[in-house]
Amino acid sequence: MKLIFVNRFFYPDLSATSQLLSDLAFDLAALGVEVHIITSRGLYVDPSTRLPKSQKVQDVQIHRVWTTGFGRSRLRGRLVDYLSFTWTAALKLWRLAAAGDTVVVMSDPPLFSVSALLILRLRGARLINWLQDFFPEIAFRAGLISPSGFLSKTLLRLRNWTLRGARLNIAISDGIQRCIYAQGVDAHLVEVIPNWTDGRFVYPVPSHQNQLRQSWGLAEKFVVGHSGNLGRVHETKTIKLAIQGLAADDHFVFVFVGGGKGYEDLREWATERNFANVQFHPYQPKDRLHLSLSLPDVHLISLAPEMEGLVFPSKLYGILAAGRPAIFVGAHESEVAELLKGAGCGTGVEAGHGDELAEAILHLKNNRLRQVHRHRPLAPDPAVLNAANWQAAVSQPLGETLFFLLEGVEITLVLTRPRSGFLGPIFSVGGVGRLDLELDRREPTRGQS
């Protein structure tokens, strides 16, 4: 039996879904699963790149198909990229899938699961939807498609057909799970498996040992960071207000690492106004993630309020693995904000309240979170928790509970704060450990962050 994943991007691409899928595919292959990937030949940041059509990496067979390369800057070009990948990937899936295989379809491109389910029913294979977001509702709330038109009703019917026809729908958050239930999908067809970060690559680095702080001229600064995609579903107006509010204090620097439409708009806005307290840097390679994610004293996580429940910012896990606090900017009642507050490692600010965001940043500067991270291996040869979850998901009969245990290994994950609060589960590929976060009101000593 083959396990086939379909996503537009895969290793060596650095986008979020690519890294998640790459982690999972390589770990499952190491456990003896026959893993195949159907993906594009381009890269998220450079769609003109042409990677090899066929390649085997760490026992994972990669099948790269042709697509157009208009990129993400214009919606029409992106739509053409989606459609061309849907066509060529569907042809590859038709040739590759066989009776008894399991095919996991991610959310990029949207609604590829429609083509996949039709093919897999003819082939006698099974579909698992891995929902990183919830489309077409995202397009409705972004104003890209009218929710009352013929097109929207057709898209909803097709999407719901794939949810009900799948062997399993895996949601990455409780909010997305609720969206699935709202469509009348049976509970036994839905499981929540949160995303994760790779604990072998992301871990706390003390500020005075962080090479990026030195090379980017941030050694004596309080760094407010944003890492990863800053796109159409994210909130930037509040961040702009905070940048303006703290511009006169040269102790603060806002550092944006990544890309996306919001990233480009923010960079253009800051350049036009000659803000000296803002830096922009491209995506960092995986072997530098421990440095880039440990760089900020506090991270920003944003989501447009109308997108709450449809998208879950998985950058949260990398931030926690790096041992840094975070401020969520978005809806008044937010899943991410509640998680941060419950764990005592951050807070939330309602979108549009730039003054409150600036105050929250000042508060964290004056009352730094001191983080102690004690890491222990999960298993001697490293067994991986997220791979075990997924191995259970693709092998257990319908209706059975997912088991989050590896044979013979006791798994413990504790996140605590003084007196109250719990956040879980947070997955760290390659190991889990105990993470204590406490508020230290004393002046930080050298090396604390």
Side-chain angles (χ1 to χ4, degrees), residues 96-256:
L96 184 62
D101 289 346
T102 297
V103 178
V104 180
V105 173
M106 297 184 75
S107 302
D108 188 6
L111 299 183
F112 182 80
S113 57
V114 176
S115 302
L117 182 56
L118 180 61
I119 292 169
L120 299 182
R121 285 194 167 178
L122 294 172
R123 287 299 196 193
R126 299 170 296 183
L127 171 68
I128 292 179
N129 290 311
W130 186 6
L131 290 103
Q132 299 289 320
D133 51 43
F134 209 60
F135 186 91
E137 282 81 353
I138 287 178
F140 300 162
R141 296 191 190 178
L144 302 176
I145 302 175
S146 170
S148 59
F150 173 78
L151 175 61
S152 62
K153 293 177 180 178
T154 301
L155 293 177
L156 285 170
R157 288 192 189 100
L158 289 171
R159 194 274 315 281
N160 290 345
W161 175 66
T162 69
L163 295 177
R164 297 188 184 103
R167 177 187 177 277
L168 189 64
N169 297 286
I170 294 181
I172 65 168
S173 70
D174 292 340
I176 294 175
Q177 181 189 47
R178 287 192 291 270
C179 289
I180 299 172
Y181 285 157
Q183 308 308 310
V185 179
D186 290 342
H188 74 274
L189 295 177
V190 186
E191 292 288 350
V192 176
I193 300 181
N195 286 342
W196 57 86
T197 195
D198 192 330
R200 296 165 294 191
F201 288 89
V202 181
Y203 47 85
V205 178
S207 297
H208 70 281
Q209 296 177 7
N210 195 315
Q211 301 167 9
L212 290 184
R213 270 195 173 256
Q214 311 304 319
S215 60
W216 291 357
L218 301 168
E220 304 301 324
K221 304 295 185 180
F222 186 88
V223 179
V224 182
H226 185 281
S227 181
N229 183 47
L230 190 58
R232 299 176 188 274
V233 301
H234 300 106
E235 212 281 344
T236 59
K237 293 180 181 178
T238 311
I239 297 174
K240 291 176 181 178
L241 292 172
I243 291 172
Q244 290 175 316
L246 297 172
D249 190 337
D250 61 6
H251 288 96
F252 294 95
V253 176
F254 290 77
V255 177
F256 297 87

Side-chain angles (χ1 to χ4, degrees), residues 358-410:
E359 288 175 8
I361 292 168
L362 281 166
H363 176 76
L364 283 173
K365 178 179 182 293
N366 296 326
N367 303 276
R368 292 200 181 196
L369 282 172
R370 181 166 60 86
Q371 178 264 339
V372 180
H373 182 264
R374 294 190 293 277
H375 182 283
R376 69 169 180 85
L378 179 65
D381 58 345
V384 181
L385 179 60
N386 74 290
N389 296 343
W390 271 90
Q391 191 177 44
V394 301
S395 62
Q396 294 294 329
L398 279 175
E400 290 194 11
T401 304
L402 290 178
F403 293 98
F404 301 97
L405 295 175
L406 296 175
E407 183 177 358
V409 179
E410 179 183 355

